[in-house]
Amino acid sequence: MEQLLGQAQQVAEGVLLYRLLAERPPFDIADLPWPEAIQRLLETEPMPLVQVNPAVAGPLERIVGCAMSRDVAGRYQTAAELAADLVRFLEGRR
């Protein structure tokens, strides 16, 4: 979202994770004109990942949700924080 508002300091790791796990983008904007696409991105929430891929219920869903949080303070502040949670998940420590 920050990219749309001209505040590009945040990286879209959460969107990339969502796309990898859901095998689709979090927002369906492909056929929309730019103004409508931007409005949808700013005003709507993506479909919950667990509804697209039930296999991600639990810790992985929480990790992606945190990474995609609209609230910058609620998001991972660094890629290293996100990576640490993903490693803990993969090692079964979450």
Side-chain angles (χ1 to χ4, degrees), residues 47-81:
M47 179 176 291
L49 181 57
V50 71
Q51 287 183 12
V52 180
N53 181 353
V56 301
L60 191 54
E61 178 185 21
R62 185 198 58 73
I63 291 169
V64 174
C66 179
M68 288 185 59
S69 175
R70 288 194 183 266
D71 177 18
V72 176
R75 215 179 294 147
Y76 293 101
Q77 299 303 300
T78 67
E81 290 177 2

Side-chain angles (χ1 to χ4, degrees), residues 19-70:
R19 191 170 186 145
L20 287 169
L21 295 168
E23 297 182 349
R24 58 166 264 191
F27 297 94
D28 183 17
I29 58 170
D31 297 327
L32 296 177
W34 278 103
E36 289 178 38
I38 291 170
Q39 183 175 2
R40 182 171 295 173
L41 290 171
L42 292 172
E43 296 178 356
T44 63
E45 295 293 326
M47 179 176 291
L49 181 57
V50 71
Q51 287 183 12
V52 180
N53 181 353
V56 301
L60 191 54
E61 178 185 21
R62 185 198 58 73
I63 291 169
V64 174
C66 179
M68 288 185 59
S69 175
R70 288 194 183 266

